């Protein structure tokens, strides 16, 4: 399994470079407007020497680890307002948000429906965010197709909408490839380089409150074929894919927004079922994998039986990187979810995830606390700067793969 499915950073870099130089199929979907085309990530190779970790300050290096909501950059917003889907969202880059970016130069920004007012606003917002710092941002979104599609379901944009991943998956892998090529096309149009999709879970538990038809199938091999097609479709549009939610969220009955999700699968059962779509996505060159807030008491060693997957060195290093051979970016699920905040402070969660092997920290409940905790851990030697530099190099390589001038 290690050698047969190993697809490292070099593999997906080659894939994206082929796409960016015109070898991929053209993206379907709306044709870019002049404004939105200008806001899309550049695809020309940078003329300056590529950035490395050595070129960045400590503040910049630690900042690269964080992907945050734009609302988290506004010091006037509380954590409750930031997470509340019904609260007004940030729709333009203010001076206060620019000041936060200067002080905490995050690696990326994740937009939600409440950050979208109309096509012109979205294009302007992503362009302004992208121009705000020295290191280009990974602009990201959850655009799975179906119930979770922040742009298509916003009501503000005229975009293709899909019933669900399961419905499209039932039509076969080519239908999935077409859907994700279309999604990738309009994401690029509006300046996004990263899609937190596809869902690589296997939908085997009818009591699951959060996956359901977001997964392609209840059959591991059918799901695997669709996941491969989704990764390839996004790649053909020049957008980075992210498989989620490792080690498998399909056979759980809890909502990790509120509490830890639990899979009762044994390690053998995970290997033969839940991991098949992840292995297929990795083989297709998926550059990111999101790890869910899932415990696996029957699969993990006793010392880690109650540990969330994203904080387990066994899950990240032995399973994902070791057995499945993944060498891309490992991203946590949102660190503002109840499964995390019930167990950790923001600072504790950030450091624990990094020490377990994560590369990217997604939306901590308290950005300031999480960022400060990592800076202090590096300055004190509690977390080696060599580990930070290794993460930063992977992040910069992914940004180059997405066509960003780094």
């Amino acid at each position: 399994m290690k050698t047969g499915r190993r697809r490292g950073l070099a593999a997906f870099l080659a894939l994206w470079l082929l796409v960016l130089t015109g070898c991929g199929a053209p993206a379907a979907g709306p044709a870019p407007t002049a404004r939105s085309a200008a806001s899309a990530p550049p695809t020309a190779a940078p003329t300056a020497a590529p950035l490395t970790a050595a070129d960045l300050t400590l503040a910049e290096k630690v900042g690269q680890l964080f992907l945050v909501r734009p609302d988290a950059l506004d010091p006037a917003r509380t954590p409750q307002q930031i997470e509340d889907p019904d609260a007004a969202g940030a729709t333009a880059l203010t001076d206060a948000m620019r000041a936060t970016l200067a002080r905490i130069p995050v690696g990326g920004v994740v937009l939600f429906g409440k950050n979208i007012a109309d096509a012109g606003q979205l294009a302007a917002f992503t362009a302004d965010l992208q121009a705000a710092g020295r290191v280009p941002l990974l602009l990201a979104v959850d655009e799975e197709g179906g119930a979770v599609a922040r742009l298509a379901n916003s009501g503000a944009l005229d975009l293709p909408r899909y019933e669900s991943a399961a419905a499209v998956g039932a039509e076969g892998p080519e239908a999935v490839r077409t859907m994700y090529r279309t999604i990738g096309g309009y994401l690029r149009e509006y300046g996004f380089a990263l899609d937190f999709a596809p869902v690589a879970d296997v939908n085997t538990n009818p009591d699951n409150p959060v996956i359901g038809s977001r997964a392609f199938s209840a059959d591991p091999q059918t799901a695997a074929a669709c996941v491969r097609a989704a990764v390839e479709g996004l790649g053909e549009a020049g957008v980075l894919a992210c498989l989620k939610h490792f080690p498998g969220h399909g056979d759980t009955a809890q909502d990790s927004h509120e509490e830890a999700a639990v899979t009762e699968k044994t390690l053998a059962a995970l290997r033969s079922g839940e991991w098949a779509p992840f292995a297929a996505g990795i083989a297709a060159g998926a550059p990111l994998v999101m790890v869910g807030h899932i415990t696996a008491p029957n699969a993990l060693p006793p010392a880690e039986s109650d540990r969330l997957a994203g904080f387990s060195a066994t899950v990240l290093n032995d399973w994902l990187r070791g057995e499945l051979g993944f060498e891309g970016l490992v991203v946590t699920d949102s660190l503002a979810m109840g499964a995390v905040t019930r167990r950790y402070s923001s600072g504790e969660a950030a450091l624990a995830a990094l020490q377990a092997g994560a590369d990217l920290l997604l939306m901590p409940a308290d950005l300031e606390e999480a960022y400060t905790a990592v800076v202090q851990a590096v300055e004190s030697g509690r977390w080696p700067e060599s580990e930070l530099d290794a993460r930063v190099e992977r992040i910069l390589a992914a940004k180059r793969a997405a066509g960003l001038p780094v």
Side-chain angles (χ1 to χ4, degrees):
M1 183 177 290
K2 292 183 182 179
T3 57
R5 293 176 176 163
R6 183 171 297 274
R7 291 294 188 277
L9 198 54
F12 77 76
L13 278 171
L15 171 65
W16 302 123
L17 287 173
L18 282 172
V19 170
L20 295 172
T21 53
C23 295
T33 63
R35 178 57 189 262
S36 60
S39 69
T43 57
T47 56
L51 281 178
T52 69
D55 299 316
L56 306 184
T57 66
L58 178 61
E60 289 173 325
K61 289 194 292 188
V62 173
Q64 289 300 299
L65 306 175
F66 289 90
L67 302 177
V68 303
R69 292 173 179 258
D71 313 84
L73 302 173
D74 185 348
R77 297 177 191 267
T78 66
Q80 292 73 28
Q81 290 173 322
I82 293 168
E83 291 297 317
D84 184 352
D86 297 320
T91 55
L93 186 63
T94 65
D95 289 342
M97 294 165 68
R98 291 181 192 276
T100 302
L101 274 173
R103 188 169 50 83
I104 306 178
V106 298
V109 175
V110 186
L111 273 68
F112 286 75
K114 68 179 184 176
N115 305 120
I116 302 168
D118 57 56
Q121 169 271 329
L122 178 58
F125 194 19
T126 57
D128 289 346
L129 283 166
Q130 197 58 272
R134 185 167 83 96
V135 183
L137 296 167
L138 269 180
L139 296 181
V141 69
D142 289 280
E143 198 77 8
E144 299 170 7
V148 179
R150 310 303 185 192
L151 272 67
N153 294 346
S154 69
L157 306 172
D158 183 16
L159 295 172
R161 298 179 69 178
Y162 300 91
E163 178 183 346
S164 66
V168 178
E171 299 177 27
E174 284 308 310
V176 172
R177 186 192 314 275
T178 298
M179 175 176 76
Y180 274 98
R181 188 188 300 123
T182 299
I183 288 172
Y186 69 70
L187 291 185
R188 288 287 295 195
E189 176 186 349
Y190 286 108
F192 294 94
L194 168 60
D195 188 6
F196 288 123
V199 170
D201 301 310
V202 182
N203 182 30
T204 54
N205 190 333
D207 295 325
N208 193 309
V210 293
I211 301 301
S213 63
R214 294 169 63 195
F216 290 111
S217 178
D219 174 68
Q221 297 307 318
T222 300
C226 291
V227 166
R228 175 186 286 273
V231 170
E232 292 171 349
L234 284 171
E236 288 163 6
V239 171
L240 305 179
C242 178
L243 311 178
K244 60 186 186 185
H245 309 79
F246 191 79
H249 208 328
D251 192 10
T252 63
Q254 300 80 23
D255 183 352
S256 54
H257 291 85
E258 304 297 332
E259 59 181 326
V262 182
T263 177
E264 302 291 349
K265 299 281 190 180
T266 64
L267 183 54
L270 289 173
R271 285 171 173 149
S272 62
E274 263 70 6
W275 291 1
F278 289 96
I282 291 168
L288 289 92
V289 172
M290 179 184 290
V291 181
H293 300 318
I294 302 162
T295 63
N298 297 321
L300 282 165
E304 294 188 335
S305 62
D306 190 46
R307 190 169 299 175
L308 298 175
F311 302 87
S312 165
T314 299
V315 172
L316 302 190
N317 296 325
D318 295 349
W319 295 358
L320 182 55
R321 294 205 184 279
E323 291 200 41
L324 294 184
F326 182 64
E327 294 182 2
L329 292 174
V330 175
V331 58
T332 70
D333 205 341
S334 170
L335 297 177
M337 287 182 175
V340 175
T341 58
R342 290 175 184 270
R343 298 179 179 221
Y344 299 94
S345 70
S346 291
E348 291 168 343
L351 193 55
L354 292 170
Q355 290 173 326
D359 297 300
L360 289 167
L361 305 172
L362 182 63
M363 302 185 308
D366 188 322
L367 173 60
E368 182 87 36
E369 179 188 328
Y371 175 80
T372 300
V374 178
V375 170
Q376 291 177 345
V378 175
E379 289 178 334
S380 68
R382 184 179 174 197
W383 192 52
E385 191 163 4
S386 60
E387 289 290 325
L388 170 62
D389 289 348
R391 306 303 204 281
V392 171
E393 293 295 355
R394 280 198 287 268
I395 293 165
L396 293 176
K399 289 185 173 184
R400 284 190 289 272
L404 297 172
V406 288

